[in-house]
Amino acid sequence: PLLQLKLWNKYRVSNIPSLIFIDASTGKVVCRNGLLVIRDDPEGLEFPWGPKPFSEVVAGPLLRNNGQTLDSTALEGSHVGVYFSAHWCPPCRSLTRVLVESYRKIKEAGQKFEILFVSADRSEDSFKQYFSEMPWVAVPYTDEGRRSRLNRLYGIQGIPTLIVLDSKGDVITRQGRVEVLNDIECREFPWHPKPVLELTDSNAVQLNEGPCLVLFVDSEDDGESEAAKQLIQPIAEKIIAKYKAKDEEA
């Protein structure tokens, strides 16, 4: 049971069935969403199912809600929020309302930022209704293959999920939802992960995603929480650097 628990924790399995493909020579995760892979590629034509660059997976036409189309190359050179969401999901709808304001603030500040909506709606009508509220771009609902490949690329296990990418298409944070809700003024954009966070309702979800150190301090005394932060910051930075060197998530 201990070994099983270690494996569950190592691969951050939060629901079953889960199928994770690993490169045996390096031990690195090749693909987290194995179930989607075998559904989409039953013949194994894309084996070994390794991660492809975002630009390759997203390639093709994108939509605006006025019916205009543009090519995915229009995203190049911008930070991109890849937004997995659906109208039937209440937390998605409430995040969308906040995100519309955040998007406007970031654009008004002169930042190059685009959001790409990847729908998990249950019908094209419901997609159109939901997308009509969004000022950004979307993968066409009818392009189920591309939507599924984006889900696979980021190992999406639940919605809403907002993945923030840098201008080269590399992941800055998978916790875009938490960042947007914690930073209404978007002062921290593009939300590079901080080594030490203050625990809040909205970021507590990260406690489920791997080992965490939680340090309790007397919040009445600001000096004490600052001293505690100074104490654990260098340790956290060292741990993050170690994982980064191995090209793994800390």
Side-chain angles (χ1 to χ4, degrees):
L2 186 61
L3 177 60
Q4 288 171 333
L5 192 61
K6 276 185 175 171
L7 287 167
W8 277 68
N9 287 338
K10 180 175 174 61
Y11 297 114
R12 300 178 186 188
V13 175
S14 57
N15 52 7
I16 55 171
S18 270
L19 176 60
I20 295 170
F21 293 114
I22 292 157
D23 179 340
S25 57
T26 62
K28 281 190 183 164
V29 172
V30 173
C31 172
R32 287 188 174 280
N33 271 15
L35 295 170
L36 276 182
V37 166
I38 54 177
R39 189 196 75 185
D40 291 352
D41 184 23
E43 305 289 313
L45 302 176
E46 291 178 41
F47 182 82
W49 304 304
K52 294 185 168 78
F54 169 69
S55 57
E56 190 180 317
V57 178
V58 79
L62 302 175
L63 293 179
R64 289 206 178 277
N65 64 15
N66 60 5
Q68 263 185 321
T69 60
L70 66 162
D71 193 75
S72 57
T73 50
L75 300 175
E76 287 170 13
S78 292
H79 284 81
V80 177
V82 189
Y83 183 37
F84 298 86
S85 187
H87 189 264
W88 53 261
C89 148
C92 292
R93 292 199 301 274
S94 55
L95 179 61
T96 297
R97 285 192 289 275
V98 177
L99 201 50
V100 167
E101 285 305 303
S102 302
Y103 177 75
R104 188 177 56 75
K105 283 174 187 157
I106 293 164
K107 299 281 267 193
E108 280 175 3
Q111 301 267 18
K112 288 185 120 186
F113 181 50
E114 196 47 73
I115 292 177
L116 174 67
F117 172 40
V118 184
S119 166
D121 288 293
R122 291 173 177 149
S123 72
E124 191 168 7
D125 283 347
S126 130
F127 159 76
K128 282 178 177 161
Q129 183 194 343
Y130 193 29
F131 187 40
S132 71
E133 303 163 20
M134 300 180 185
W136 45 74
V137 297
V139 176
Y141 185 79
T142 48
D143 196 341
E144 204 175 322
R146 199 164 22 143
R147 289 191 289 124
S148 185
R149 284 192 293 277
L150 284 160
N151 272 279
R152 267 163 47 191
L153 179 62
Y154 298 114
I156 302 302
Q157 295 199 333
I159 55 172
T161 294
L162 179 66
I163 311 264
V164 183
L165 310 178
D166 66 16
S167 54
K168 297 199 291 289
D170 295 327
V171 174
I172 293 176
T173 178
R174 301 176 59 86
Q175 300 291 342
R177 176 192 186 183
V178 171
E179 298 291 356
V180 163
L181 295 175
N182 273 350
D183 180 24
I184 295 296
E185 293 305 316
C186 306
R187 290 198 180 98
E188 307 280 333
F189 176 82
W191 303 301
H192 287 279
K194 293 190 188 73
V196 180
L197 292 174
E198 194 168 317
L199 190 60
T200 64
D201 284 353
S202 56
N203 67 25
V205 62
Q206 288 167 258
L207 296 174
N208 298 325
E209 300 208 345
C212 295
L213 170 74
V214 183
L215 181 59
F216 292 86
V217 294
D218 181 358
S219 59
E220 299 303 309
D221 173 8
D222 280 343
E224 190 180 328
S225 54
E226 195 46 47
K229 193 174 175 182
Q230 306 266 323
L231 177 71
I232 56 177
Q233 181 92 10
I235 301 168
E237 283 172 358
K238 200 190 270 182
I239 291 168
I240 286 170
K242 189 180 87 175
Y243 278 92
K244 203 168 187 171
K246 291 196 287 188
D247 202 21
E248 286 178 13
E249 279 188 64

